[in-house]
C-alpha cells in the first residue's frame, strides 16, 4: 500500500506562523455541539409555530444533521475537546449516535481515508471516482436522495441484509459513505429515536418527530452529504504526487453554509493538508496557505453550483 503524499508545516510556515494553528480551546468544541442542537431546536419550534415554514425547517435541520456528522468527524481527529473522555462523549453520544453513527467505527475508516487519500486503498475513493458524470446521472442521484430512496437503501435494506448474514457488495457511490458513517450504531439510534418520539408524543405533537426529524434525515441529509462528498474530492487531479491536490476547498456564501456546508466543512483541502488543525481555524489556515506560493496549487471552487457543473460535465 502506498500512502498519500504529505505536506509538513515546516514546508510552508515558520514556527511562529504555525503556532496559532496548533493551539486548541477547550470551550469551542462543546459550544459548536450546543450551537448545532440549538439550531435544530429553533427550527423545530419554528416549524411547530408556523407549519407553512416546514419545508425550510426540513432543509435547516437536515443540514444540521450533517453538522452533527461533521462534528463527529472533528471528534475523530480529537478536535472537540482537549480531554479525551469529553471528546469521545461529545463526538459519540451527542453527534454520532443521534444520526445513527458510531465514533469508534468511523474513526479508523476515516483515518484510512486520510492515509490513502485518492489512492487505490482509499475507502472513500468510490465516492469521487465516478465523476464527472452526465447531468442526467447527477440529477437521478439527487432525486433518489430527496425522495428518500437513498435513505431506504442505507438505513433499512442494507442493515436487513447484514442481519440476515449476507455479505454486501463493495458499496457504490450511492451509499458507501452513509453506509459506513451512519449505519454502524443501529441499536443506540433506535433507542434515541424511540425516546425522542415518546417525548414528542407526550408533548402532544407526535407528528413533529416524523416531519422535523425523520423527514430531514430521509431527504435533505443524504442530499447535502452527497454534495459534500462531491465537492471535497471529485474531479481533482494530481493528488497521487501532490498533497496540495488531495481535495478541494469551496468558497461558501452564507446561505450555502446555512443549507449545505456547516462548520467550515468547505475548507477540505486545508483539512487534508493538516488534519489536526481544528475546524474553526480552517478559514485562517486557508488564508495563510493561499498566501504561500504552494497555495496556488490548491483546487478552489467559487461555490457549490460551480462544483456541480464540473461534476456533471461529461
Amino acid at each position: 500500500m502506498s500512502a498519500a503524499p504529505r505536506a509538513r508545516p515546516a514546508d510552508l510556515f515558520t514556527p511562529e506562523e504555525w503556532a496559532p494553528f496548533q493551539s486548541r480551546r477547550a470551550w469551542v468544541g462543546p459550544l459548536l455541539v450546543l450551537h448545532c442542537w440549538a439550531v435544530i431546536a429553533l427550527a423545530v419550534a419554528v416549524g411547530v409555530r408556523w407549519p407553512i415554514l416546514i419545508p425550510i425547517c426540513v432543509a435547516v435541520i437536515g443540514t444540521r444533521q450533517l453538522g452533527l456528522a461533521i462534528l463527529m468527524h472533528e471528534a475523530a481527529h480529537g478536535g472537540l475537546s482537549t480531554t479525551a473522555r469529553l471528546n469521545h462523549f461529545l463526538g459519540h453520544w451527542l453527534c454520532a449516535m443521534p444520526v445513527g453513527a458510531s465514533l469508534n467505527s468511523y474513526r479508523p475508516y476515516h483515518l484510512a481515508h486520510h492515509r490513502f487519500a485518492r489512492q487505490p486503498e482509499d475507502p472513500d475513493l468510490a465516492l469521487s471516482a465516478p465523476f464527472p458524470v452526465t447531468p442526467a446521472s447527477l440529477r437521478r442521484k439527487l432525486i433518489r436522495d430527496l425522495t428518500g430512496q437513498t435513505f431506504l437503501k442505507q438505513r433499512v435494506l442494507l442493515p436487513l441484509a447484514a442481519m440476515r448474514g449476507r455479505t454486501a457488495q463493495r458499496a457504490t457511490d450511492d451509499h458507501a459513505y452513509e453506509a459506513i458513517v451512519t449505519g454502524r450504531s443501529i441499536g443506540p439510534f433506535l433507542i434515541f429515536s424511540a425516546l425522542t418520539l415518546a417525548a414528542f408524543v407526550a408533548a402532544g405533537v407526535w407528528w413533529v418527530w416524523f416531519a422535523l426529524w425523520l423527514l430531514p434525515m430521509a431527504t435533505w441529509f443524504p442530499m447535502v452529504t452527497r454534495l459534500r462528498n462531491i465537492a471535497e474530492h471529485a474531479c481533482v487531479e494530481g493528488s497521487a504526487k501532490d498533497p496540495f491536490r488531495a481535495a478541494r476547498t469551496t468558497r461558501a456564501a452564507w446561505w450555502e453554509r446555512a443549507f449545505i456546508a456547516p462548520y467550515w466543512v468547505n475548507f477540505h483541502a486545508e483539512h487534508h493538508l493538516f488534519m489536526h488543525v481544528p475546524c474553526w481555524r480552517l478559514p485562517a489556515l486557508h488564508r495563510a496557505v493561499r498566501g504561500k506560493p504552494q497555495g496556488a496549487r490548491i483546487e478552489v471552487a467559487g461555490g457549490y453550483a460551480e462544483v456541480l457543473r464540473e461534476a456533471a460535465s461529461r
Side-chain angles (χ1 to χ4, degrees), residues 231 249-267 283 286 300-305 307:
T249 280
T250 304
R251 294 194 179 101
W254 69 266
W255 64 268
E256 290 174 308
R257 296 194 297 273
F259 292 103
I260 299 174
Y263 305 120
W264 307 282
V265 72
N266 53 302
F267 293 101
H286 171 73
V300 179
Y304 283 84
V307 171

Side-chain angles (χ1 to χ4, degrees), residues 43-253:
V44 168
V46 168
V48 172
R49 179 66 179 84
W50 296 288
I52 195 172
L53 297 178
I54 283 179
I56 296 175
C57 296
V58 165
V60 170
I61 293 169
T63 302
R64 294 301 140 175
Q65 289 169 334
L66 173 61
L68 292 174
I70 291 167
L71 294 176
M72 173 194 69
H73 161 268
E74 187 71 10
H77 290 285
L80 283 186
S81 175
T82 54
T83 304
R85 284 189 177 183
L86 182 56
N87 181 78
H88 181 82
F89 174 80
L90 293 171
H92 181 71
W93 295 106
L94 297 186
C95 296
M97 186 267 291
V99 294
S102 165
L103 180 59
N104 288 336
S105 295
Y106 174 69
R107 182 182 284 115
Y109 166 90
H110 182 66
L111 294 182
H113 164 62
H114 272 275
R115 183 181 180 188
F116 301 111
R118 305 286 293 166
Q119 309 297 310
E121 298 83 5
D122 181 359
D124 271 356
L125 188 61
L127 300 175
S128 58
F131 294 94
V133 296
T134 65
S137 175
L138 180 60
R139 187 164 52 249
R140 287 194 297 269
K141 295 176 191 300
L142 298 179
I143 289 173
R144 287 198 296 268
D145 295 339
L146 288 173
T147 57
Q149 297 175 65
T150 302
F151 176 85
L152 177 66
K153 190 172 189 178
Q154 294 163 355
R155 303 301 187 95
V156 179
L157 300 182
L158 288 178
L160 285 176
M163 286 189 289
R164 291 170 182 167
R166 296 176 183 173
T167 303
Q169 281 186 314
R170 178 174 174 79
T172 68
D173 72 301
D174 283 328
H175 55 82
Y177 180 83
E178 281 287 299
I180 295 294
V181 173
T182 59
R184 296 296 183 87
S185 187
I186 297 174
F189 173 66
L190 291 178
I191 293 172
F192 170 84
S193 299
L195 291 175
T196 51
L197 175 58
F200 284 122
V201 169
V205 286
W206 60 268
W207 59 270
V208 170
W209 186 85
F210 295 94
L212 293 172
W213 183 257
L214 183 61
L215 182 61
M217 183 170 287
T219 58
W220 197 263
F221 180 26
M223 192 269 288
V224 291
T225 298
R226 187 185 299 278
L227 295 183
R228 170 195 173 178
N229 291 328
I230 292 171
E232 288 177 348
H233 293 286
C235 306
V236 180
E237 303 298 331
S239 59
K241 297 181 179 179
D242 187 351
F244 290 85
R245 303 290 302 168
R248 175 190 287 104
T249 280
T250 304
R251 294 194 179 101

Side-chain angles (χ1 to χ4, degrees), residues 300-314:
V300 179
Y304 283 84
E306 178 181 320
V307 171
L308 290 179
R309 283 194 296 270
E310 185 172 0
S313 60
R314 177 176 293 180

